[in-house]
Amino acid sequence: MAHDYRAQVEAAFPELADIGNDDLRERVIEAWCLGLDRGGWRDIEDIPYAWNIHEVSNVEHVRGVTRIAVRAAEEQRDFHGADPDFDVVRAACLLHDVGKCYEYVDFVDDDALDDPDPEYATQEIPHSLSGYALAHEVGCPLAVQRAIPHFIGEIPTRTLESELVKSANSASSNAITQAAMGISLQEWVERYSQTQ
């Protein structure tokens, strides 16, 4: 069954329009389309925030991370005089959890999926690593790639942009785990994380 993944991605992430570099915007869309196709997803909105938190979608979380990081980058620029690359921040935020297209296929009802590709769709590889691999495969710049591994610290060189993604991801995740389960992100990690 054919799905119009591009239309789904563009509708899910209006923040794409704020990426000034047309080529980078296309690469972000391409990475999501590839992940959705290989994961066998029917609808981008069906990917959950976490394997055990389905009442919040991955789309909501990714958008939240993007919004938080951009606001923080604006403060860093306006208040501290820093010079964050806003295209890198937006692209990395939008891609930071694209790997969930692969990792979470085993945690949703079968009717959300159409024939996931077993070569890719598996919980064996953490989504931060598969997301990095997707960004690399579609040719995202290194600055975007290095900002994607956000949780278990796979990339040794941290940049202003990667730290923005990391802290915005924590802020969004803390809000979601508190609202959905009444616990902090740290408590969720200690109890449920598959990548400790």
Side-chain angles (χ1 to χ4, degrees):
M1 175 177 278
H3 301 282
D4 188 352
Y5 290 130
R6 182 182 183 88
Q8 287 187 35
V9 171
E10 288 176 337
F13 302 122
E15 295 81 7
L16 285 162
D18 296 327
I19 297 174
N21 182 302
D22 294 340
D23 183 61
L24 180 57
R25 184 182 327 107
E26 285 302 313
R27 290 175 194 276
V28 172
I29 293 168
E30 182 182 356
W32 271 102
C33 291
L34 212 60
L36 290 164
D37 183 53
R38 290 174 178 164
W41 294 92
R42 292 183 181 174
D43 190 331
I44 193 171
E45 297 285 349
D46 289 336
I47 304 168
Y49 158 72
W51 66 270
N52 64 343
I53 300 177
H54 288 238
E55 56 270 32
V56 177
S57 72
N58 190 41
V59 167
E60 178 183 334
H61 169 62
V62 167
R63 291 194 66 212
V65 169
T66 306
R67 292 165 56 112
I68 292 165
V70 167
R71 286 193 180 123
E74 290 168 348
E75 287 298 318
Q76 288 180 336
R77 179 196 63 207
D78 298 345
F79 190 75
H80 296 293
D83 188 25
D85 184 323
F86 281 85
D87 274 0
V88 169
V89 170
R90 287 182 177 101
C93 285
L94 289 169
L95 289 173
H96 89 278
D97 274 349
V98 67
K100 290 179 181 179
C101 291
Y102 296 166
E103 186 179 359
Y104 287 178
V105 296
D106 293 332
F107 301 105
V108 296
D109 294 333
D110 289 341
D111 63 353
L113 303 168
D114 284 329
D115 197 28
D117 184 338
E119 184 174 337
Y120 298 97
T122 176
Q123 61 180 311
E124 295 299 316
I125 305 296
H127 63 270
S128 58
L129 294 176
S130 57
Y132 165 84
L134 274 164
H136 179 78
E137 182 178 352
V138 301
C140 284
L142 183 59
V144 172
Q145 293 178 43
R146 79 164 51 109
I148 291 170
H150 56 277
F151 188 61
I152 51 180
E154 300 89 355
I155 300 295
T157 303
R158 303 306 293 185
T159 63
L160 177 60
E161 294 80 11
S162 66
E163 291 299 328
L164 282 162
V165 177
K166 180 180 175 185
S167 57
N169 183 51
S170 292
S172 174
S173 295
N174 265 307
I176 291 169
T177 58
Q178 181 63 43
M181 302 178 88
I183 60 176
S184 70
L185 175 60
Q186 184 60 40
E187 291 170 297
W188 186 91
V189 167
E190 290 168 1
R191 293 181 195 175
Y192 305 111
S193 178
Q194 299 166 294
T195 57
Q196 287 194 41

